[in-house]
């Protein structure tokens, strides 16, 4: 019972943050198109977001450890809320700043929340380490469900209610506020080891170069992500001229992703033993 209470406290903060993130997926390109920007200009905005995510991703673990995991989650809520608010502006530079803030927020989303959970699970509550996988697998399941629902929700506000492509970004803000408020009220602060940024990067680089398998895995992952990023940029301008409901299409993508995850879990189960080599 104590573990389940602890899990629920984590999900109350983490799941609204994920929902806010997914809501912004279907209509980002459409919004920039709605503001009459050219395809090349939109591409630069996307690159700003991706580059920002890479740069802040390098320092996010050190930043989160020094600032505190709870404060970092609250910072995520704040920066992502501002990122959503600036979508109301038609000024190109303001939108570019919003994309940079979006990159910072993404880096925090995929580092601060899990780091906070692992520390609390092991250090404060002393639950068995193998239970961490239970929490994260459930979070992954709900993440997929939320992603599917987010597409339909975005479509409802943007198309059905006729509020336009900026509406899903505005709907994200209350969820981000909710996540931040729950973190402030219900979470205790924890910190990581204060290592220098140069040492962190040096250790990572040493690991990358000393083990050929790590280098190959990183290369394969980078190639895969590059294909995904190209797809993320192109799917809206390809389908939108045909009148496709973007939110529903997005839900279809996420449902297919969830199906793929389920098939993978089935393939590596004891019944089929299709383990990666």
């Amino acid at each position: 019972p104590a573990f389940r209470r602890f899990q629920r406290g984590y999900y109350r903060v983490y799941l609204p943050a994920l929902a806010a993130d997914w809501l912004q997926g279907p209509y980002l390109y459409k919004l920039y198109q709605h503001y009459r920007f050219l395809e090349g200009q939109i591409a630069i905005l996307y690159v700003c977001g991706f580059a920002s995510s890479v740069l802040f991703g390098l320092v996010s673990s050190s930043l989160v450890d020094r600032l505190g995991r709870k404060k970092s989650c609250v910072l995520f809520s704040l920066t992502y809320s501002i990122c959503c608010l600036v979508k109301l502006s038609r000024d190109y530079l303001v939108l570019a700043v919003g994309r940079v803030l979006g990159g910072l927020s993404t880096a925090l989303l995929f580092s601060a929340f899990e780091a906070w959970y692992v520390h609390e699970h092991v250090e404060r509550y002393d639950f068995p380490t193998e239970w961490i996988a239970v929490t994260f697998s459930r979070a992954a399941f709900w993440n997929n469900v939320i992603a599917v629902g987010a597409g339909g929700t975005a479509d409802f506000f943007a198309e059905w209610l006729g509020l336009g492509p900026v509406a899903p970004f505005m709907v994200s803000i209350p969820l981000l506020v909710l996540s931040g408020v729950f973190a402030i009220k219900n979470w205790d602060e924890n910190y990581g080891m204060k290592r220098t940024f140069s040492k962190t990067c040096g250790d990572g680089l040493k690991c990358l170069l000393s083990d050929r398998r790590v280098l190959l895995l990183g290369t394969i992952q980078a190639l895969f992500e590059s294909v995904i990023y190209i797809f993320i940029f192109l799917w809206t301008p390809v389908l939108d001229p045909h009148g496709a409901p973007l939110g529903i299409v997005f839900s279809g993508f996420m449902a297919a992703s969830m199906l793929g995850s389920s098939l993978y879990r089935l393939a590596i189960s004891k019944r089929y033993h299709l383990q990666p080599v």
Side-chain angles (χ1 to χ4, degrees):
F3 174 62
R4 287 182 178 170
R5 278 197 302 275
F6 172 56
Q7 267 189 331
R8 285 196 295 271
Y10 173 63
Y11 293 148
R12 274 193 210 102
V13 177
Y14 187 47
L15 296 183
L18 288 174
D21 185 48
W22 284 121
L23 272 170
Q24 299 173 50
Y27 284 93
L28 182 61
Y29 191 103
K30 178 82 171 177
L31 178 68
Y32 295 144
Q33 211 173 39
H34 178 70
Y35 288 160
R36 309 284 187 206
F37 292 121
L38 302 174
E39 187 177 28
Q41 292 174 306
I42 297 172
I44 291 168
L45 289 172
Y46 269 73
V47 168
C48 284
F50 295 149
S52 169
S53 186
V54 169
L55 291 172
F56 285 118
L58 286 172
V59 300
S60 62
S61 60
S62 299
L63 173 67
V64 165
D65 288 346
R66 285 172 177 273
L67 180 64
R69 278 75 177 260
K70 173 184 169 179
K71 288 191 193 79
S72 298
C73 294
V74 175
L75 177 64
F76 157 82
S77 299
L78 179 64
T79 55
Y80 222 10
S81 296
I82 296 169
C83 173
C84 292
L85 275 173
V86 300
K87 295 292 190 298
L88 292 168
S89 172
R90 292 172 179 262
D91 186 275
Y92 191 75
L93 285 177
V94 173
L95 291 171
V97 170
R99 289 294 289 163
V100 171
L101 284 174
L104 168 61
S105 304
T106 302
L108 290 172
L109 177 62
F110 293 115
S111 57
F113 290 85
E114 290 184 2
W116 180 89
Y117 177 84
V118 171
H119 184 279
E120 294 291 303
H121 182 108
V122 175
E123 301 294 335
R124 191 182 299 274
Y125 290 96
D126 196 26
F127 292 129
T129 307
E130 57 268 24
W131 290 5
I132 293 173
V134 175
T135 299
F136 286 161
S137 65
R138 284 182 185 165
F141 169 77
W142 284 110
N143 183 34
N144 286 322
V145 172
I146 287 167
V148 173
T153 304
D155 194 77
F156 174 76
F157 281 99
E159 304 295 343
W160 287 36
L161 295 183
L163 299 176
V166 78
F169 299 93
M170 298 303 104
V171 175
S172 296
I173 294 173
L175 292 170
L176 292 165
V177 171
L178 193 67
S179 174
V181 167
F182 278 142
I184 291 168
K185 286 182 67 177
N186 301 326
W187 282 12
D188 295 314
E189 186 60 277
N190 63 55
Y191 299 86
M193 290 188 299
K194 292 183 179 178
R195 296 174 295 175
T196 61
F197 173 64
S198 57
K199 185 175 182 346
T200 305
C201 286
D203 290 346
L205 188 62
K206 196 184 296 179
C207 177
L208 194 68
L209 297 175
S210 63
D211 191 335
R212 183 170 170 270
R213 294 171 305 167
V214 176
L215 185 61
L216 284 171
L217 181 63
T219 304
I220 291 164
Q221 182 72 14
L223 291 169
F224 170 78
E225 291 290 344
S226 68
V227 173
I228 293 294
Y229 284 155
I230 293 166
F231 180 83
I232 287 169
F233 177 71
L234 287 177
W235 75 270
T236 302
V238 168
L239 294 180
D240 194 39
H242 302 286
L246 299 179
I248 304 303
V249 171
F250 184 83
S251 290
F253 290 152
M254 295 301 106
S257 178
M258 186 161 65
L259 178 63
S261 299
S262 302
L263 289 174
Y264 174 74
R265 282 197 294 273
L266 184 66
I268 63 170
S269 65
K270 291 178 181 177
R271 184 176 177 183
Y272 295 102
H273 294 291
L274 295 176
Q275 296 293 333
V277 176

